[in-house]
Each structure stands twice: as C-alpha cells, then as structure tokens.
Amino acid sequence: MVVTGAGVSAESGIPTFRDPLEGLWAKYDPRELATPEAFARDPETVTRWYDWRRQKCAGAKPNPAHLALAWLGKHFQEQNRCFTLLTQNVDRLHQAAGSRNVVELHGTLWIWRCTRCGIEHEEREVPFKEYPLRCACGGARRPAVVWFGELLPDDAIQNAHDALESCDLFFSIGTSAVVEPAASFLHTARRRGAKTAEINREPTPVSRMADWSLQGSAGEILPGLVQRVFGI
Ligand code: APR
C-alpha cells in the first residue's frame, strides 16, 4: 500500500503546499481559496486560481517517482498480488505515468461538479473560457476536489480501510503527514503489523514511527529502490 503527497509531483514542477517559501499555502490563504465558503463568497477568484493550477498540471510530465510506482503496480498485478496506490494529489500524474486504479483521496482538478444539480464532467481544456464555469442548469461549477472542512469520497475511504486491513508493506511518499485521514495511515498500518517505510526530503511527524525512513527526493530514491527490492 502506497500513499503519496505533493512531494511526489514536486519534481514535475507542481508546487507543494507547505514548503515555507515555494508552497501554495505560503503564498495563498487556503481559507480564501480551498473551502466551500470561499467558493460561495467568490466563485470567480476560486475558479481562476484552480484554473491556474490546472494550467501548471497540464504542462507537467510524470517524473521517475511516478514511473517507478507505475512499474511497481504493474509488477504486482502481473503476479496477482495486491497493490494499492492512494494519492492526496489532484493532478492525475500517477495515471499519466500508467498507474491504474489510483485511489484519489482528495479528488481531482480535472473533473468539475455543478453546485446546484451535482452533475460532473471532465474538463481538460485549459484555460477556461469563463469564470466561474456555468452548468446547463445555470449553477456554478466547482472542482471535484476535497476542500478543507469537507469529507473525503466514501469509496476512497473504503478503499483505504480495506488496504490498511491487509497490507504487509506500507509506503508514505512525499507527504508532510499533517492532514487527516492520510496522516494516520502509517500508524494504523504499523498497528496492524505491516512494515512501514517513508520517503521524504525532510523528517515528518511519522518518520520516527516508520521502520525505514529514507530521506531524499522520491524521484531519486524510488527507481533504485524498486529495482533493488523488487527486481524491476
Ligand atoms: N521527494 C520527496 N519528498 C518531497 C519532495 C521530493 N522531491 N519535495 C517535497 N517533499 C516533501 C516535503 O518535505 C513535504 O514533507 O513532500 C511533502 C509535501 O507536503 P505538503 O506540501 O504538506 O503536501 P501534502 O502532504 O500532499 O498535503 C496534504 O494538504 O493542503 C492539503 O489537500 C491538500 O492534498 C493536500 C494535503
């Protein structure tokens, strides 16, 4: 079982959230941009900001960390063994790298949902032609991401719990491990007897708990690790 965060997409040029200088939350106030209240207050500004992030993601390519995880998933699948990749990222770079059945804990930037009728559509064209996007019913459309104060998608939570029940090896990669519920997954996996590993450029609140804490860039560590440990 693997859980990834913004650090895995950093080497693809996507800013993380909590980097003290370059992180999104160092430059923008999440209360003004990543809450349902902010969207209700100012849907145009929120939509422009998410469209800016979409343009960054549209121009980004999967990096060696994404590719290594796609190989690993394929390897496990070929051996009929369980492999679950959960991500907090909304950029779909795992899928662009070839990963399948990715569990998107926080939704995605590429699907937009009407706040009136609830209908969802994939939106790949960048940039948008209107702010905010309007549904045929007249409702304003929002990104199908999980904002602060919102619940995660039921199926994503169920997939996470099912994987935690049975995983033997748990990886936490490129996440600061401060946002729940993902922040508790390593602890839960460990409590259930799994071996746990973390890959991060810096120590996190779970580093001491992990059986292996590998400090460095995911794009540098993962390809070699996957090759040496799994022979891929
Ligand atoms: N390789 C490995 N780790 C990295 C790299 C890299 N190349 N670059 C940065 N990191 C690490 C940072 O040290 C940090 O611990 O990735 C982590 C990124 O942390 P955050 O910016 O907090 O991102 P994340 O953990 O994914 O945030 C969780 O918070 O804001 C919400 O919904 C948003 O999904 C997001 C959630």
Side-chain angles (χ1 to χ4, degrees):
M1 177 178 178
V2 177
V3 172
T4 66
V8 167
S9 291
E11 293 162 71
S12 296
I14 311 287
T16 66
F17 295 93
R18 292 176 184 80
D19 179 281
L21 297 176
E22 299 305 320
L24 292 174
W25 301 148
K27 298 179 177 172
Y28 305 98
D29 183 347
R31 288 164 303 183
E32 296 304 323
L33 293 164
T35 63
E37 295 77 20
F39 186 78
R41 249 192 334 268
D42 187 354
E44 178 181 345
T45 301
V46 172
T47 304
R48 283 186 187 283
W49 188 69
Y50 275 91
D51 197 33
W52 167 74
R53 289 179 60 194
R54 292 171 72 251
Q55 290 167 56
K56 270 197 171 297
C57 295
K61 295 260 176 306
N63 65 57
H66 295 111
L67 295 169
L69 289 170
W71 298 334
L72 197 52
K74 190 163 173 288
H75 176 71
F76 270 66
Q77 196 190 11
E78 283 164 359
Q79 302 196 340
N80 288 322
R81 294 161 63 192
C82 291
F83 178 87
T84 308
L85 175 56
L86 297 96
T87 188
Q88 298 169 91
N89 301 343
V90 293
D91 53 36
R92 290 202 165 166
L93 286 175
H94 283 301
Q95 290 91 330
S99 287
R100 295 289 161 263
N101 308 320
V102 179
V103 179
E104 296 178 315
L105 292 168
H106 295 166
T108 178
L109 282 172
W110 300 115
I111 292 181
W112 286 64
R113 181 171 63 236
C114 175
T115 53
R116 186 185 293 175
C117 72
I119 201 164
E120 291 191 343
H121 286 298
E122 184 170 22
E123 297 289 345
R124 281 284 173 176
E125 195 185 338
V126 288
F128 285 142
K129 293 192 172 49
E130 59 173 2
Y131 303 96
L133 290 188
R134 286 281 162 201
C135 177
C137 77
R141 301 175 63 208
R142 55 160 286 175
V145 297
V146 177
W147 278 329
F148 289 100
E150 294 187 322
L151 296 175
L152 274 63
D154 289 343
D155 56 345
I157 283 290
Q158 193 54 54
N159 281 316
H161 286 300
D162 293 349
L164 281 168
E165 280 293 323
S166 60
C167 77
D168 310 297
L169 179 58
F170 176 95
F171 278 98
S172 173
I173 309 176
T175 177
S176 56
V178 296
V179 174
E180 295 295 350
S184 299
F185 287 167
L186 187 142
H187 182 65
T188 307
R190 187 182 164 77
R191 216 181 48 238
R192 295 199 174 138
K195 285 288 182 190
T196 58
E198 180 191 50
I199 301 175
N200 196 303
R201 269 193 183 149
E202 295 160 1
T204 73
V206 299
S207 301
R208 287 168 181 275
M209 218 185 289
D211 294 293
W212 300 280
S213 181
L214 308 174
Q215 222 171 309
S217 296
E220 286 163 20
I221 291 177
L222 266 173
L225 182 148
V226 164
Q227 193 186 23
R228 286 181 55 195
V229 176
F230 300 99
I232 305 171

Short mmCIF file of all heavy atoms in Angstrom, two decimals, residues 5-7 10-11 16-19 25 88-89 106 146 148 174-179 199-202 204 216-219, ligand 1:
data_model
loop_
_atom_site.label_atom_id
_atom_site.label_comp_id
_atom_site.label_asym_id
_atom_site.label_seq_id
_atom_site.Cartn_x
_atom_site.Cartn_y
_atom_site.Cartn_z
N GLY A 5 1.91 12.15 -1.65
CA GLY A 5 1.51 13.54 -1.46
C GLY A 5 2.22 14.43 -2.47
O GLY A 5 2.91 13.95 -3.37
N ALA A 6 2.08 15.72 -2.26
CA ALA A 6 2.55 16.73 -3.21
C ALA A 6 4.04 16.60 -3.52
O ALA A 6 4.49 16.97 -4.61
CB ALA A 6 2.24 18.12 -2.66
N GLY A 7 4.81 16.04 -2.59
CA GLY A 7 6.25 15.91 -2.82
C GLY A 7 6.57 15.03 -4.01
O GLY A 7 7.60 15.19 -4.66
N ALA A 10 6.42 17.28 -7.00
CA ALA A 10 7.30 18.46 -6.95
C ALA A 10 8.33 18.43 -8.07
O ALA A 10 8.59 19.45 -8.72
CB ALA A 10 8.00 18.53 -5.59
N GLU A 11 8.88 17.26 -8.35
CA GLU A 11 9.91 17.15 -9.40
C GLU A 11 9.32 17.23 -10.80
O GLU A 11 10.04 17.23 -11.79
CB GLU A 11 10.71 15.86 -9.20
CG GLU A 11 11.56 15.89 -7.91
CD GLU A 11 11.99 14.51 -7.48
OE1 GLU A 11 12.86 13.92 -8.16
OE2 GLU A 11 11.44 14.01 -6.47
N THR A 16 4.35 22.29 -4.00
CA THR A 16 3.73 21.59 -2.87
C THR A 16 2.90 22.62 -2.11
O THR A 16 2.75 23.75 -2.54
CB THR A 16 4.83 20.99 -1.96
OG1 THR A 16 5.56 22.07 -1.38
CG2 THR A 16 5.76 20.06 -2.72
N PHE A 17 2.37 22.24 -0.96
CA PHE A 17 1.50 23.13 -0.19
C PHE A 17 2.24 23.83 0.94
O PHE A 17 2.04 25.02 1.17
CB PHE A 17 0.31 22.35 0.37
CG PHE A 17 -0.59 21.82 -0.70
CD1 PHE A 17 -0.41 20.54 -1.20
CD2 PHE A 17 -1.59 22.61 -1.22
CE1 PHE A 17 -1.23 20.06 -2.21
CE2 PHE A 17 -2.41 22.14 -2.24
CZ PHE A 17 -2.22 20.85 -2.73
N ARG A 18 3.11 23.09 1.63
CA ARG A 18 3.63 23.62 2.89
C ARG A 18 5.12 23.94 2.87
O ARG A 18 5.71 24.20 3.91
CB ARG A 18 3.28 22.65 4.03
CG ARG A 18 1.80 22.64 4.26
CD ARG A 18 1.32 21.64 5.31
NE ARG A 18 -0.11 21.71 5.32
CZ ARG A 18 -0.88 21.09 4.42
NH1 ARG A 18 -0.33 20.36 3.45
NH2 ARG A 18 -2.21 21.21 4.48
N ASP A 19 5.71 23.96 1.67
CA ASP A 19 7.10 24.41 1.61
C ASP A 19 7.12 25.86 2.07
O ASP A 19 6.34 26.67 1.58
CB ASP A 19 7.63 24.30 0.17
CG ASP A 19 9.06 24.78 0.06
OD1 ASP A 19 9.25 26.02 0.02
OD2 ASP A 19 9.98 23.95 0.08
N TRP A 25 0.48 27.32 0.23
CA TRP A 25 -0.08 27.95 1.42
C TRP A 25 0.87 29.00 2.01
O TRP A 25 0.50 29.72 2.94
CB TRP A 25 -0.47 26.91 2.46
CG TRP A 25 -1.48 25.90 1.97
CD1 TRP A 25 -1.56 24.60 2.38
CD2 TRP A 25 -2.55 26.09 1.05
NE1 TRP A 25 -2.61 23.97 1.73
CE2 TRP A 25 -3.23 24.86 0.88
CE3 TRP A 25 -3.02 27.17 0.29
CZ2 TRP A 25 -4.32 24.68 0.03
CZ3 TRP A 25 -4.11 26.99 -0.56
CH2 TRP A 25 -4.74 25.77 -0.68
N GLN A 88 -3.02 11.85 -2.41
CA GLN A 88 -3.66 13.08 -1.98
C GLN A 88 -3.59 14.11 -3.11
O GLN A 88 -4.18 15.17 -3.03
CB GLN A 88 -2.96 13.63 -0.73
CG GLN A 88 -3.04 12.70 0.46
CD GLN A 88 -2.11 13.13 1.58
OE1 GLN A 88 -2.49 13.88 2.47
NE2 GLN A 88 -0.87 12.69 1.51
N ASN A 89 -2.83 13.77 -4.16
CA ASN A 89 -2.63 14.70 -5.27
C ASN A 89 -3.85 14.72 -6.19
O ASN A 89 -4.52 13.71 -6.35
CB ASN A 89 -1.37 14.32 -6.05
CG ASN A 89 -0.16 14.36 -5.14
OD1 ASN A 89 -0.18 14.94 -4.06
ND2 ASN A 89 0.91 13.71 -5.57
N HIS A 106 -8.30 13.02 -2.40
CA HIS A 106 -8.75 14.42 -2.38
C HIS A 106 -9.35 14.86 -3.70
O HIS A 106 -9.40 16.05 -4.02
CB HIS A 106 -7.57 15.33 -1.99
CG HIS A 106 -7.08 15.08 -0.60
ND1 HIS A 106 -5.88 15.56 -0.15
CD2 HIS A 106 -7.61 14.40 0.43
CE1 HIS A 106 -5.70 15.17 1.11
NE2 HIS A 106 -6.73 14.47 1.48
N VAL A 146 -11.43 17.77 -2.67
CA VAL A 146 -11.91 17.82 -1.28
C VAL A 146 -11.35 19.09 -0.65
O VAL A 146 -10.14 19.24 -0.52
CB VAL A 146 -11.46 16.58 -0.49
CG1 VAL A 146 -11.89 16.68 0.97
CG2 VAL A 146 -12.03 15.31 -1.13
N PHE A 148 -11.03 22.01 2.49
CA PHE A 148 -10.94 21.97 3.95
C PHE A 148 -12.36 22.00 4.53
O PHE A 148 -13.21 22.75 4.07
CB PHE A 148 -10.11 23.13 4.47
CG PHE A 148 -8.65 22.99 4.16
CD1 PHE A 148 -8.08 23.66 3.09
CD2 PHE A 148 -7.85 22.14 4.91
CE1 PHE A 148 -6.73 23.51 2.77
CE2 PHE A 148 -6.51 21.97 4.61
CZ PHE A 148 -5.94 22.66 3.54
N GLY A 174 6.45 11.47 0.00
CA GLY A 174 6.26 12.86 -0.39
C GLY A 174 5.05 13.53 0.22
O GLY A 174 4.41 14.37 -0.41
N THR A 175 4.73 13.16 1.46
CA THR A 175 3.65 13.85 2.16
C THR A 175 4.14 14.32 3.54
O THR A 175 4.91 13.62 4.19
CB THR A 175 2.38 12.99 2.31
OG1 THR A 175 1.40 13.72 3.06
CG2 THR A 175 2.66 11.66 3.00
N SER A 176 3.68 15.49 3.97
CA SER A 176 4.11 16.05 5.26
C SER A 176 3.40 15.34 6.41
O SER A 176 3.72 15.58 7.58
CB SER A 176 3.80 17.55 5.30
OG SER A 176 2.42 17.76 5.04
N ALA A 177 2.43 14.46 6.06
CA ALA A 177 1.74 13.66 7.08
C ALA A 177 1.14 14.54 8.18
O ALA A 177 1.26 14.23 9.37
CB ALA A 177 2.69 12.61 7.67
N VAL A 178 0.50 15.64 7.79
CA VAL A 178 -0.17 16.50 8.77
C VAL A 178 -1.67 16.61 8.51
O VAL A 178 -2.39 17.14 9.35
CB VAL A 178 0.46 17.92 8.81
CG1 VAL A 178 1.90 17.88 9.29
CG2 VAL A 178 0.34 18.63 7.46
N VAL A 179 -2.12 16.13 7.33
CA VAL A 179 -3.54 16.24 7.00
C VAL A 179 -4.23 14.88 7.12
O VAL A 179 -3.79 13.90 6.53
CB VAL A 179 -3.72 16.82 5.57
CG1 VAL A 179 -5.19 16.82 5.17
CG2 VAL A 179 -3.16 18.23 5.52
N ILE A 199 9.41 7.92 2.48
CA ILE A 199 10.37 8.61 1.62
C ILE A 199 9.98 10.08 1.62
O ILE A 199 8.84 10.42 1.27
CB ILE A 199 10.37 8.06 0.19
CG1 ILE A 199 10.71 6.56 0.18
CG2 ILE A 199 11.35 8.83 -0.69
CD1 ILE A 199 10.61 5.91 -1.19
N ASN A 200 10.88 10.93 2.06
CA ASN A 200 10.59 12.37 2.13
C ASN A 200 11.90 13.12 2.18
O ASN A 200 12.88 12.62 2.72
CB ASN A 200 9.76 12.69 3.37
CG ASN A 200 9.12 14.07 3.28
OD1 ASN A 200 9.80 15.07 3.11
ND2 ASN A 200 7.81 14.11 3.39
N ARG A 201 11.87 14.32 1.63
CA ARG A 201 13.08 15.13 1.65
C ARG A 201 13.43 15.56 3.07
O ARG A 201 14.58 15.87 3.35
CB ARG A 201 12.86 16.40 0.82
CG ARG A 201 13.24 16.26 -0.61
CD ARG A 201 13.30 17.61 -1.26
NE ARG A 201 13.59 17.49 -2.68
CZ ARG A 201 13.16 18.36 -3.60
NH1 ARG A 201 12.42 19.39 -3.22
NH2 ARG A 201 13.45 18.19 -4.86
N GLU A 202 12.41 15.61 3.91
CA GLU A 202 12.60 16.11 5.28
C GLU A 202 11.93 15.17 6.28
O GLU A 202 11.03 14.42 5.90
CB GLU A 202 11.97 17.49 5.44
CG GLU A 202 12.61 18.57 4.60
CD GLU A 202 11.66 19.78 4.43
OE1 GLU A 202 10.55 19.74 4.99
OE2 GLU A 202 12.06 20.71 3.71
N THR A 204 9.27 14.04 8.99
CA THR A 204 7.85 14.38 9.21
C THR A 204 7.43 13.81 10.56
O THR A 204 8.18 13.06 11.18
CB THR A 204 6.97 13.75 8.12
OG1 THR A 204 6.89 12.34 8.37
CG2 THR A 204 7.50 13.99 6.72
N GLY A 216 15.27 11.94 1.21
CA GLY A 216 15.78 12.34 -0.09
C GLY A 216 14.63 12.55 -1.05
O GLY A 216 13.46 12.49 -0.66
N SER A 217 14.95 12.79 -2.31
CA SER A 217 13.92 13.03 -3.32
C SER A 217 13.32 11.73 -3.82
O SER A 217 14.06 10.80 -4.16
CB SER A 217 14.51 13.79 -4.50
OG SER A 217 14.93 15.06 -4.07
N ALA A 218 12.00 11.70 -3.90
CA ALA A 218 11.31 10.48 -4.34
C ALA A 218 11.77 10.07 -5.74
O ALA A 218 11.95 8.88 -6.02
CB ALA A 218 9.81 10.72 -4.33
N GLY A 219 12.00 11.05 -6.61
CA GLY A 219 12.41 10.75 -7.98
C GLY A 219 13.79 10.14 -8.07
O GLY A 219 14.11 9.44 -9.03
N1 APR B 1 10.65 13.99 -2.83
C1 APR B 1 10.16 13.57 -1.62
N2 APR B 1 9.51 14.41 -0.76
C2 APR B 1 9.38 15.69 -1.11
C3 APR B 1 9.89 16.21 -2.34
C4 APR B 1 10.54 15.28 -3.22
N3 APR B 1 11.02 15.64 -4.38
N4 APR B 1 9.61 17.54 -2.41
C5 APR B 1 8.95 17.85 -1.26
N5 APR B 1 8.81 16.74 -0.49
C6 APR B 1 8.09 16.61 0.77
C7 APR B 1 8.17 17.80 1.70
O1 APR B 1 9.29 17.69 2.55
C8 APR B 1 6.86 17.69 2.47
O2 APR B 1 7.00 16.89 3.63
O3 APR B 1 6.72 16.48 0.43
C9 APR B 1 5.91 16.97 1.49
C10 APR B 1 4.81 17.83 0.89
O4 APR B 1 3.97 18.19 1.95
P1 APR B 1 2.71 19.16 1.71
O5 APR B 1 3.11 20.31 0.91
O6 APR B 1 2.11 19.39 3.05
O7 APR B 1 1.73 18.29 0.79
P2 APR B 1 0.80 17.06 1.21
O8 APR B 1 1.36 16.28 2.34
O9 APR B 1 0.49 16.32 -0.02
O10 APR B 1 -0.52 17.85 1.70
C11 APR B 1 -1.64 17.11 2.09
O11 APR B 1 -2.94 19.12 2.34
O12 APR B 1 -3.28 21.23 1.56
C12 APR B 1 -3.82 19.97 1.62
O13 APR B 1 -5.33 18.92 0.12
C13 APR B 1 -4.01 19.37 0.24
O14 APR B 1 -3.56 17.10 -0.51
C14 APR B 1 -3.05 18.18 0.24
C15 APR B 1 -2.90 17.86 1.70
#
